Amino acid sequence: MKKILSIAAIALVMTACSRTNPFLSEWDTPYGIPPFDKIQTSDYIPAIKAGIEEQNAEIEAIVSNPDTPTFDNTIAPLELSGRTLSRVQGVLFNVSETDRSDALDAVQDEAIPMLSEHSDNISFNKALYNRVAAVYNADQSALTREQQVVLKKLYDGFAREGIGLPEEQQAQLREINSRMAELTQKISNNILAESNAFSEKFGFSASAYPEKMTSTEDRELRRQYNEAYTSRGHNGNEYDNRALILELLDKRIKKARILGYDTPAAYTLANKMAHDPQTVDAFLAGIMKAAVAKAKVELADMQAIMDQDIKAGKLPAGSKIEPWDWWYYAEKVRKVKYDLDESETRPYFKMDNVVNGVFIAAKTLYGVNMEKLEGVPSYNPEKVTTYKVTADDGSLIGIFTTDYFPRASKRGGAWMNNIRDQYVDAQGNDIRPIIVNVGNLSEYLSIDEVQTAFHEFGHALHGLLSKCHYPSVSGTNVTRDFVEMFSQFNENWAFQPELLAQYAKNDKGEVIPAELVEKINNALKFNQGFMTTELCAASILDMKWHELGSVEGVDIDSFEKKACSHMGLIPEIAPRYRSTYFNHIFGGSGYNAGYYGYLWAEVLDKDAFSIFEASPAGVWDLELAKKFKETFLEKGGSEEPMVLFKSFAGREPDSAAMLRGRGLTD
């Protein structure tokens, strides 16, 4: 009680100083949207400290309860604890990724060690664990299936974080966890700084690199772009990530060893669908073999066109395709093979039109209605658009925010964030989620960017349509090698002819011609040898790093070179990310020893979509869509992934579905 009162005291003091910290009171805003216009940078640290104190008091109340531990008096209140802290982090980490500033960096530098320590305090709370274990070891027959999953996830989590270790080793883990949090934040900031330097040097953002490599005729300029792009975080300056990465890996190795695992990969994968490194390695090796074989065919097609340029005197004799030539000559091959030129398609894919298409698909398949909201708080009113999402009966599904265009303060790539998870509160109220889609897209989108917009909204649907009770399993709170199934599944609708007829229109309002639609769909599997090879190569590189037992004497360049040779990567293709700008695995995105998850989940995605393709009603089979929504999107992580998939498909996944979907096999 004293700790709870101290939070109120903080709020009173701040009120006495003429304003109240917005995080320390309920938000009187439409739909509980964060009051971004009232939040100041100076609010974060006091709110984090108050949030930590609040959750500590809530946990102390659970631990000191004299009654026999039950789900209702232990697990349920633990699930609902830390709401203030969740509010603060939901805002801070979203804004810091999209509107980064030196002031926000300073906030994170102070906040991250505190949050790491707080997390460890919970993980190593023996009294709390004893109550959780008592519930876990008791008869669970009266619990719902979701409650059983929540309980197991919580119980297993204590073991994974080291609850059974001696205090000396727990102290070591505390130091390691704190330092790892600092390192990932520093690496991420360095990647952003290097990407901004790239933009300043060449006049276009790093996210526009593929488009520039496709359209730039000057080969020397393409080489310069490639060299600068692939050397980010590797320039010997203050943003060089090499030493930081090796230190981070060293910490991950030490943590794994303390917890009883040979490598970080073994530790990470123990609670994933794949379960162990050997399974992932075998999975990726099979894909790599098929992808490289296809890429070699694509390479021959490109070299044939380059040879024509040599004959025409445009290039020196003996010129061969280099990594900086691939995008450029691939586009030439596409024009020859499919008569498809993206300069013809882009006018039909204006950002607003594509967003409309994304929404039409969701409305058709899942009964999701989008209403643009005006005048609601926003962290960047000029760049951000907010929507109210409702079901056909008018009930609130959630709030959805888009932030699609690049700026210097935003990290690269595209992603979905939860500002607020879906859950049911202690009074039985269904708290609906607030979801954000962020990107670095063009005003007129490429075919790949259109797929990106559908991809991220697939994540958003997973978060928005959740109908779970407990926050730890709602929405996208599923294993890393399952979560990408739903984003990639949503990509399948992007170029369906019936949908394109509704959203793909140029500035004159003219619908995309049928012959162009046919060309797009015919060309969707084009260049998939290259695309799959670079993705698979990055996944293997990730695994190689996290299968290390030591980084002593390791040189990043030599390690990458050896890994690429071992995986059979051809020299004309590089991994999608070099280590020094591989934000997914080193910058805190949580995909370490997990980048394979995109390909793993694509097996599930393509196999599920094949059921739609086989339906007599076609891919717009609404009964099948309803089953997909109820089986997957509403369930979140409240059931084991394979149980859900078998429930939907009636069988095991077809392991070859992804290869067929990409055109790598028949």
Side-chain angles (χ1 to χ4, degrees), residues 22 39 307 333 370 396 405 415 448 452 477 502 599 610 631:
I39 295 171
D307 289 345
V333 172
M370 313 296 293
L396 181 67
F405 297 113
W415 64 94
D448 183 62
T452 296
N477 288 309
Q502 297 182 71
L599 291 165
S610 73
T631 304

Side-chain angles (χ1 to χ4, degrees), residues 537-550:
S539 303
I540 294 173
L541 181 61
D542 169 31
M543 291 301 297
K544 292 295 184 185
W545 276 124
H546 290 97
E547 288 172 348
L548 284 174
S550 170

Side-chain angles (χ1 to χ4, degrees), residues 284-304:
L284 293 174
I287 296 171
M288 194 67 174
K289 183 177 179 180
V292 169
K294 185 71 170 181
K296 288 179 178 178
V297 174
E298 296 166 356
L299 177 61
D301 289 340
M302 291 188 293
Q303 187 62 52

Side-chain angles (χ1 to χ4, degrees), residues 599-621:
L599 291 165
W600 182 278
E602 193 174 338
V603 172
L604 307 177
D605 136 47
K606 288 296 184 286
D607 198 13
F609 186 65
S610 73
I611 298 173
F612 280 79
E613 291 178 304
S615 168
V619 298
W620 298 99
D621 185 330

Side-chain angles (χ1 to χ4, degrees), residues 165-178:
L165 295 174
E167 289 186 7
E168 180 182 349
Q169 289 185 313
Q170 289 184 356
Q172 291 175 347
L173 285 176
R174 286 176 180 274
E175 293 179 5
I176 289 170
N177 290 338
S178 179

Side-chain angles (χ1 to χ4, degrees), residues 34 111 134 179 197 256 331 370 374 404 411 458 485 514 537 544 570 583:
R179 182 56 180 161
E331 181 65 13
M370 313 296 293
E374 302 288 353
Y404 284 129
R411 74 171 173 87
M485 172 184 175
K544 292 295 184 185
I570 57 178
N583 196 68

Side-chain angles (χ1 to χ4, degrees), residues 118-139:
H118 178 59
S119 177
D120 285 339
N121 287 343
I122 296 173
S123 296
F124 299 139
N125 188 323
K126 190 71 172 181
L128 179 61
Y129 167 72
N130 287 339
R131 290 190 67 91
V132 172
V135 180
Y136 183 79
N137 292 319
D139 181 9

